[in-house]
Amino acid sequence: MTIEFMLPDIGEGTAEGEIVQWLVAAGDAVEEHQPVVEVMTDKATVEIPAPAAGVVTQLLAEAGDTVAVGSVIFHLEPAGGAAPTAAPAPAPAAASAPDPGPADDEAVLEFRLPDIGEGTAEGEIVRWIVEEGAEVAEHEAVVEVMTDKATVEIPAPAAGILVKQLAAAGETVAVGSVIFHLAGAGAAAEAAPSPPEAAPVPALSEAAPAPAPAATPRAPGARVLAVPSARRVARELGVDLALVAGSGQNGIIRRADVEAHAAGAPSAAPVAVPTPQTVPTPAAAAPSDSRQRAETRVPFRGMRRKIAEAMVRSKFTAPHFTVVEEVDVTDLVRIRTQAKAIGEMDGVKVTYLPFIMKAVALCLERFPMLNGRLDEATEEIIQCGYADLGIATDTPNGLVVPVIRDVGTKSVMQLAKELGALAERTREGKVSREELAGSTFTITNAGNLGGILATPIINYPDIAILGVHRLRKAPGVVEGPDGDRIEVRQFMNFSLSVDHRLADGADGARMLAYLRTLLENPGLLAL
Amino acid sequence: MANLTLLQAVNDGLKTAMRDDETVLVFGEDVGPKGGVFLATEGLTAEFGEERCFDTPLSEDGIVGTAIGMAMYGLKPVAEIQFQDFIFPAFDQIVSEAAKLRYRSGGQYTAPLVIRTPYGGGIRGGLYHSQSGEAYFCHTPGLKVVIPSTPHDAKGLLIASIQDPDPVLFLEPKALYRTVKGEVPEESYTVDLSTTRKVREGDDVTVFCYGAMVPVCTEAAEHAAEAGISVEVIDLRTLYPLDEESVLEAARKTGRVVTVHEAPRFCGYAAEISAIIAERVIEYMEAPVTRVTGFDTPFPNTLEHNYLPDHRRVLDAIERVHAF
Amino acid sequence: MSAYEMLQVMDADGAAGDHDPGLSDAELQYCYRTMLLVRAFDDTAMKLQRSGRVGFSIPNRGIEATQVGAASALRKTDWIFPSYRDFGMPLYHGVALVEMMNNMFGNSLDGSKGRQMAVHFSFKEPIHFLSISSPIGTHIPQGVGVAHAMKMKGEDSVALISFGDGGTSSIGFHSGLNFAGVWKSPAVFLCQNNGYAISMPTEKQTASDGFAVKGEAYGVPGVVVDGNDLLAMRQVTVEAVARARAGDGPTLIEAVTFRMGGHSTSDDPTRYVPKELVEEWEKKDPVPRFEAFLASRGLWKEGDHEAIYAECMSEVKEAADAAQATPGPGLETIFSDVYAEVPDHIRAQGEAAFDLMRRKGDAAGGGGEFPL
């Protein structure tokens, strides 16, 4: 291979040289180190020797020419195999290099374990739900982590490929440490909320910026993040930063966001891509029912308020905390089959939903802290003693969430009947505005989205939402008098998302455990 | 007008100053008949004789110490330290003596001297021919620190430094000695110390730089322009005392700041720029006040090109602050 | 020159009478071969630099006898604090050519991981040869410190501290000599008076009457020796080393020699060294002088020079080719060895550098030109 010989920097920092004379002619054979050309710089006149033995095939400058350092001045055809090979460029990733990340060139999202319960410092990896190399959808559960508060599923903040798990099952990791790498996290939101005590302005790592920022959920306990110019403009325009959605990384408010807010335009930031369950329904007046329906009003003060102060109110950005439970519904299936037959006699369609609603209402009696909503005006969390359940429903006109009142006072069959009537009215578009408002808790059907887990988005300003996943058959362990055996069982998963500002994850976990108890022993629903 | 390299402009500046003022002396190692290892002092001994341009023994502390003495006595010494990497034996004389003489004597004694020295990387000089030590000296009240990046500025700032009544450390970016050419007036002229130079006008991002980083930042700005980002590039020129107002104005203009230097990051000069901005115009910042610097390691030889900030790295920072 | 008499063993024609060099025939031939090896390495290194294959070199031509003669007096447990013009010392003590070439090329096998300029060697074995830094004289007090530690530990090792005429003006020379004198350190100071410090002739470097005399100011005995006389160099160094080992303190040796090449590959000596001076010293070339001596002992004949030199050149070429074919150091070498452990801030900078390389490719300009 022809060597294209470039004029080297002969003395520290010379930039050019003048060809004084060629000491060989084109076509001449030369030895390694044999002088080929005499070059004059302002430091010295030197002879440039051949870098290898071979034949000088071409002279590319003439005597008297001034050539720049680095320009090719002659071609040399090295003698067979005699030329020492030039060293290849240094390989970027040698043995001791830090983890190079994904093979492709996309930015890798370093997902950090968030503070799942107020002030948890660490969590134990229970199990990885997504394998390395697998694709994940936004909000899809990636890993199950146990803290001293609860076992939770951590969802992916964006769609992508889980390229690396950075902790093993059984390992305890600190909040804030990177637990997985997500590649190709493109247009969607940045990493999940950072730990509350992190510096308010996210550290500027050298990763590429997220191309299309979306408003991201703020971390529990985080202050309002705003760039300094946004603060100044907010002050000048009299804008409350807590009301502004941030379009920057990690939800930071930019100046443009404040200006847009002041101008009355919708926030420049697109909302986190809503799942079908998300329909912001402002809290409406309580239904005018003459019955005394108990409510407990908890002052929204102190720690709760402090946390919430930082939150955006106009759009949904509540921090979610999802607990997931897998329920063996084999017995429920049997009972529902019986109930379905009975219902058909009355022209009532009986699905699983009335059973679930009933179970949920019973749960909410025990866990009223999950049953209710935030009243911003009075700065109170309303914990309800009655269960008005919103049922997220897909219609030709889009998603609506009609509400069934006082579920706890109704039987399964009554609920089934009411559901049927409501569904029909909803499909025909005849459901009233009052029927669409005032849920204390929402149930959503996540089963048709595929997968067995999700993190449903809370129906703001509710405290919680329950997602119901598809019924499926799977092997299960059944305990018997002769020991354990494997049987084909029926399962249904439930994902309970809780607004962590307003209730504890531990309560969510407990409620879900109770729900499971009820649904696995459906006879209890009659109590 | 002449079209000169930065090195030739230094040489021209010395000649011009020496012609105009016979108290101006030049001395150091190899500056006499050899004309300096970079040829910065070529021709001076021939024109002005050995009394005015001469070689010294191999002793930086002696060079600066005697320069202080000469300056005290009414001469205008322009001492050369062969490479900034070798200045440290003279650190005591510079920091404890030259910089503090006026202050401690109530003005009875002063040291109007200039120390010229090539600094910075880019010539494969390894650990000891590539250092950027400007931060050590900017941390020294009483001293002035000047860094030209163009031939025009080199001559004008040098003459201004020679005329300045205070001690000036004149750092010459050796990487630019022969690679930058420009128009230089033939007569004597000065470029005021403590003024910055706007290299490029822009509205989206402000880049502060000096020395050999100026062409690097200019190239990054051109690439940024192709991507639709308008970058203002400011050459700081005199690092100390700094023209703070022009820095604040340029920072405030865009709210997105990147400061670039070769020297290591921690306690580097960019930290001072960032602090000034944070104190005075934080409310106009749209993004983190960012630095692109050499790493906090000694200066490597083979991997020099990875160590020095190049236009990729500067452009990356520009993109980041722009998108924040 | 010096008020001291310049010691010689061989005359200009290599005759040494009955002098017993304290070396066997094989050892004498080894000395000779090493001189040729220095010359071959030096010649090759210059050509490598001129053809752009290495970035820098420092001519050693003419200094072979000084280097090899002095080195021959040392044990492997002694420490060498070299100047940057001392190729012969590591070569004499068995440092492999390819190790030196790895440094010249700054590749991934270089002991210094490509961090230093060429010729700034660092070796720990087969002998300690302290990592060379460019500032002049800084190693002198360090050598005194090592010598002091050797003495404190009760070992009879010595530190050989080598520097040029210019080095005697440095601040380190004054401190080092002074401390060594007061502490009676087992140090041997070798001043290679080779006529020039870059372009500065010795008469501009000092008003002292030579360099050995400077030791007197510090209570350190001095001796002047013909640096191109290998046997004289050896003798003087052997004596100084013996003094040091015996606990009698340091010696300052002034070796009078001549730098036949320039200061470095960035220097053109023809601009300031009179041609006549060079020609005068050509006649005092230490190699033919030693050949004459060897011949007088029946250890050398016509044709040996060419044959041995050709072998040396071939070995050097092999080492150069191997070094050139070795890839450069990995990016991570910028970030390691700053401290014993990598602190967080440096680790973060390293990760960012790798990340940038992944996203935007490598920095340009790996070939020595300024990357813009």
Side-chain angles (χ1 to χ4, degrees), chain A residues 10 19 63 104 127 172 208 240 267 375 387 390 449 451 475-476 481 483-484 487:
Chain A
I10 297 156
I19 307 287
D104 62 290
R127 66 188 179 98
T172 297
D240 182 354
S267 168
D375 186 337
L449 293 182
D484 295 346
E487 272 183 12

Side-chain angles (χ1 to χ4, degrees), chain C residues 30-168:
Chain C
Y30 180 76
C31 285
Y32 173 63
R33 190 170 208 283
T34 305
M35 291 171 82
L36 290 185
L37 196 55
V38 172
R39 197 158 282 197
F41 187 95
D42 184 58
D43 187 41
T44 304
M46 289 297 295
K47 299 212 168 93
L48 290 172
Q49 198 279 340
R50 290 294 184 236
S51 55
R53 292 159 67 183
V54 304
F56 180 77
S57 189
I58 291 228
N60 274 235
R61 189 185 179 87
I63 322 283
E64 297 88 350
T66 303
Q67 299 167 1
V68 175
S72 74
L74 300 177
R75 292 182 198 152
K76 294 288 186 285
T77 48
D78 297 325
W79 281 45
I80 300 174
F81 282 77
S83 74
Y84 44 58
R85 208 184 303 275
D86 278 321
F87 292 174
M89 295 191 191
L91 284 174
Y92 180 89
H93 282 283
V95 171
L97 281 167
V98 72
E99 292 294 333
M100 292 174 68
M101 279 297 177
N102 285 338
N103 163 271
M104 299 298 288
F105 283 88
N107 60 29
S108 59
L109 293 180
D110 173 29
S112 305
K113 299 175 190 168
R115 295 171 183 144
Q116 288 257 54
M117 272 175 98
V119 311
H120 292 69
F121 305 112
S122 180
F123 304 115
K124 269 180 83 169
E125 49 201 22
I127 194 169
H128 281 88
F129 184 87
L130 178 78
S131 165
I132 298 172
S133 73
S134 311
I136 301 294
T138 47
H139 63 308
I140 300 176
Q142 295 168 17
V144 174
V146 164
H148 184 72
M150 288 165 168
K151 183 174 169 182
M152 280 181 60
K153 291 193 165 193
E155 295 155 12
D156 67 347
S157 302
V158 308
L160 177 77
I161 306 170
S162 169
F163 45 89
D165 38 283
T168 64

